[in-house]
Amino acid sequence: MTAAGHFKRVALIGFGLIGGSIARAAKLQGLASEIITTARSEATRARVAELGIVDSVVATNAEAVEGADLVILCIPVGACGAVAQEIAPYLKAGAIISDVGSVKGSIVKDMAPHLPANVHFVPAHPVAGTEHSGPDSGFAELFINRWCILTPPEGTDVSATERLRAFWAAMGAKVEIMTPDHHDLVLAITSHLPHLIAYTIVGTADELGQVTSSEVIKFSAGGFRDFTRIAASDPTMWRDVFLANKEAVLEMLGTFNEDLSKLTRAIRRGDGEALFDHFTRTRAIRRGIVEIGQDSAAPDFGRPHLPLKKQ
Ligand code: NAP
């Protein structure tokens, strides 16, 4: 008997953090009889072959998707349209075509027109990641207890969506279905805006004249350090996210700027009550995130603290 969410042949286009994590998790859970992958560069292909996780790594996307029952594009958002066009003539009838892009509206707009009518297009976004990229960065546990949002376009075959749901669930993810536009609005505030703020703060600190770069690095534990982790995320991926989710990000940025002005005013006027009320509300949000198991309750994100040695 095959496991729930099992596919005979899975093709992963791209073997970076997300593609590599899917390969590792799917292998471990027996979700594919065969996994075939492709990567753009010779260096990545050589490394993937060396890792020995997938059954084969090939040079062309066309070769990878031929005969595949599930094809997942694990590449930057901006590259998905061209790759969909490239693979379209080679797709097996009845195959499920998916992706992992962090933006969904643009993916549907860029990919759907190229795909033949006899395949099922079910876009997906695993809301899980790290600041690392490349073939060595993936790990099988990445999706455990994390959300994976599926955004099937209207009219998508329900059983295809359910098969993909089972695939992600077997890798440990919690699956939710929503429209591409709603996904983009939600992620604009929960993921895209925080990244933009981190990129801004780290850039601003770097440009400060009165505080030296070495001081910024030396005293980074005071909150700045956590921004630097986010601001170390892949530049290609995040460039594409902001270009592809422009409208929703600009909308959220407008609201953010208004709230920042309110806090600026409270500081200028010495309005401690307004500041206290705001910080109390945000503290409750953090508690809520911990309560639903989306982060650890351990202080300082569970970072180890060395014991104080007796003098
Ligand atoms: P990654 O580690 O940088 O891997 C990207 C992969 O895509 C590599 O195999 C790369 O091949 C390939 N690639 C790059 N440009 C390409 C192109 N123009 N055509 C074909 N292949 C190309 O990236 P990742 O973090 O796995 O991200 C992949 C996707 O996952 C993105 O759409 C991103 O939005 C989404 N995502 C990322 C995260 C996260 O936290 N990182 C979380 C959720 C979703 P080479 O190595 O040969 O260049």
Side-chain angles (χ1 to χ4, degrees), residues 13-20 38-45 61 73-80 83 99-103 107 125-135 137 142 195 233-234 236-238 241:
I13 309 294
F15 196 96
L17 171 69
I18 303 295
T38 174
R40 202 175 40 156
S41 70
E42 178 57 47
T44 306
R45 288 197 295 275
N61 296 331
L73 272 57
C74 307
I75 59 177
V77 167
C80 287
V83 171
D99 74 305
V100 294
S102 307
V103 181
I107 288 282
H125 175 206
V127 188
T130 74
E131 66 279 26
H132 297 294
S133 37
S137 61
L142 179 64
H195 275 80
S233 301
D234 187 64
T236 305
M237 168 183 160
W238 284 97
V241 166

Side-chain angles (χ1 to χ4, degrees), residues 8-26:
K8 252 171 131 170
R9 186 173 159 118
V10 174
L12 301 172
I13 309 294
F15 196 96
L17 171 69
I18 303 295
S21 295
I22 295 174
R24 288 168 171 91

Side-chain angles (χ1 to χ4, degrees), residues 180-212:
D181 286 352
H182 190 67
H183 166 279
D184 289 354
L185 202 61
V186 172
L187 270 290
I189 187 66
T190 57
S191 170
H192 306 169
L193 195 57
H195 275 80
L196 193 68
I197 293 166
Y199 281 125
T200 312
I201 290 183
V202 176
T204 305
D206 188 46
E207 283 153 21
L208 279 178
Q210 311 93 309
V211 181
T212 65

Side-chain angles (χ1 to χ4, degrees), residues 51-52 102 115 165 206 216 233 240:
L51 286 169
S102 307
L115 299 175
R165 177 201 286 274
D206 188 46
V216 168
S233 301
D240 284 7

